[in-house]
């Protein structure tokens, strides 16, 4: 396993790519409301990425047919946008988006509530987001990779949610998926030592019910086996000599 260490110049390009993706996500967050189709969300997202001089990295990735993954309720990730799929009050929707800017990839996901949702579903969304921040407490030079995984797992287990094991986070840079893989569930080993200059996409996928997932006939959409909702939250981060930098959050002014 070869984990790339980005140079100063590469880090600047990662920052720029990620900042542009943050802008796309912020704009997409504003259009989430009952009645919008998942197709329209993708259409607007694709346009925003291109306006930012980005190339949508998900489009045609291993045949994936859209620029934004739009996953509703029991859809965990990789939902395919559809004209006939309209968001309804009480739904939750996960938007996963990425772009390439000057050869460097960014990747981030947010889960939104549509109108008012039940308290238990609202909590799932919020705890999934918080688990990312629990994890990155260990995203520091000198920590081990699986310190991140175990911190996410510890936090989520306290709520009894199911942690998806079939999909994981990943290194990112000149490719969307680089080494290492970053599980969100408990690990017995320590994993590699983290070093300044690593860029990682950390992305807990958390189910209200059990961890079990399955793939739909479209070969993309991952759904929960029990049909209960699932939430996803992801940022691209940079390991530094000090606190981690969250490259896809808080940098758009
Ligand atoms: N955030 C997802 C991932 O890291 C995005 C990939 S979706 C695909 O795997 F369409 F590109 F496959
Ligand atoms: Co990712």
């Amino acid at each position: 396993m070869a984990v790339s260490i980005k140079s100063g110049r590469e880090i600047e390009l990662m920052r720029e790519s990620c900042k542009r993706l943050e802008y796309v996500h912020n704009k997409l967050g504003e259009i989430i409301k009952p009645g919008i189709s998942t197709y329209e969300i993708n259409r607007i997202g694709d346009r925003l990425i291109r306006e930012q001089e980005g190339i949508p990295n998900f489009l045609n990735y291993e045949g994936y047919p859209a620029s934004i993954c739009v996953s509703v309720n029991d859809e965990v990730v990789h939902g395919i946008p559809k004209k006939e799929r309209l968001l309804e009050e009480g739904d939750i929707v996960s938007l996963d988006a990425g772009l390439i800017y000057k050869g460097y990839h960014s990747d981030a996901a947010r889960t939104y509530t549509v109108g008012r949702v039940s308290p238990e579903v609202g909590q799932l969304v919020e705890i999934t987001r918080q688990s990312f921040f629990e994890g990155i407490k260990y995203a520091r030079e000198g920590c081990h990779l699986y310190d991140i995984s175990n911190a996410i797992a510890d936090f989520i287990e306290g709520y009894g949610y199911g942690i998806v094991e079939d999909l994981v986070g990943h290194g990112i840079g000149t490719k969307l998926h680089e080494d290492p893989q970053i599980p969100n569930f408990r690990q017995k080993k320590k994993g590699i030592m983290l070093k300044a200059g690593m860029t990682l996409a950390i992305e807990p996928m958390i189910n209200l019910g059990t961890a079990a997932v399955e793939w739909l006939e479209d070969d993309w959409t991952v759904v929960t086996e029990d049909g209960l909702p699932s939430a996803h939250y992801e940022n691209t981060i940079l390991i530094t000599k000090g606190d981690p930098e969250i490259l896809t959050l808080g940098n758009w002014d």
Side-chain angles (χ1 to χ4, degrees):
M1 183 166 66
V3 179
S4 68
I5 303 291
K6 273 71 180 179
S7 68
R9 174 189 154 272
E10 288 183 293
I11 288 169
E12 266 318 306
L13 290 168
M14 286 299 292
R15 284 197 184 105
E16 194 55 43
S17 177
C18 289
K19 181 177 169 179
R20 286 162 190 253
L21 179 61
E22 179 185 354
Y23 169 83
V24 171
H25 263 299
N26 291 349
K27 287 288 179 194
L28 286 176
E30 294 171 8
I31 67 167
I32 299 304
K33 55 177 182 304
I36 192 168
S37 70
T38 58
Y39 180 91
E40 183 69 359
I41 294 167
N42 174 67
R43 195 185 63 78
I44 294 169
D46 181 273
R47 198 183 66 207
L48 289 165
I49 289 170
R50 294 176 199 279
E51 275 174 15
Q52 287 299 311
E53 300 165 65
I55 300 167
N57 45 4
F58 297 177
L59 183 62
N60 299 324
Y61 179 89
E62 292 181 11
Y64 183 76
S67 297
I68 315 287
C69 301
V70 187
S71 308
V72 183
N73 295 338
D74 64 317
E75 295 171 353
V76 180
V77 288
H78 304 168
I80 297 175
K82 287 189 180 60
K83 283 189 175 156
E84 62 277 12
R85 185 76 197 253
L86 306 183
L87 298 184
E88 292 172 21
E89 172 111 14
D91 285 346
I92 58 172
V93 62
S94 304
L95 308 186
D96 193 348
L99 62 82
I100 311 168
Y101 179 75
K102 295 191 176 170
Y104 285 80
H105 289 254
S106 47
D107 186 6
R110 310 277 182 255
T111 299
Y112 294 102
T113 52
V114 183
R116 288 172 63 91
V117 305
S118 74
E120 65 169 355
V121 171
Q123 179 180 269
L124 171 72
V125 172
E126 178 53 23
I127 295 304
T128 300
R129 191 186 67 83
Q130 279 183 35
S131 73
F132 165 86
F133 292 94
E134 291 298 318
I136 66 162
K137 288 179 181 169
Y138 299 90
R140 312 178 70 85
E141 185 162 279
C143 288
H144 289 88
L145 179 66
Y146 298 155
D147 294 340
I148 300 174
S149 309
N150 288 332
I152 294 171
D154 275 344
F155 181 69
I156 292 298
E157 282 165 11
Y159 291 87
Y161 296 144
I163 304 173
V164 174
E165 298 191 1
D166 299 73
L167 300 133
V168 295
H170 50 95
I172 180 167
T174 53
K175 290 184 294 180
L176 173 59
H177 295 135
E178 297 186 354
D179 285 337
Q181 296 199 10
I182 311 173
N184 300 298
F185 52 99
R186 185 164 306 287
Q187 302 296 305
K188 290 185 179 146
K189 296 183 177 175
K190 288 185 169 178
I192 57 163
M193 281 270 254
L194 298 175
K195 290 197 175 60
M198 291 179 176
T199 46
L200 308 174
I202 296 173
E203 50 179 320
M205 289 152 270
I206 307 297
N207 299 346
L208 185 59
T210 73
V213 299
E214 57 195 22
W215 270 256
L216 294 186
E217 281 298 318
D218 63 21
D219 279 345
W220 277 105
T221 313
V222 181
V223 297
T224 58
E225 218 174 82
D226 59 16
L228 292 173
S230 181
H232 184 202
Y233 186 81
E234 175 181 26
N235 285 300
T236 298
I237 68 155
L238 169 70
I239 306 293
T240 76
K241 301 258 179 210
D243 293 337
E245 263 186 62
I246 308 177
L247 301 179
T248 47
L249 189 68
N251 300 306
W252 185 270
D253 30 61

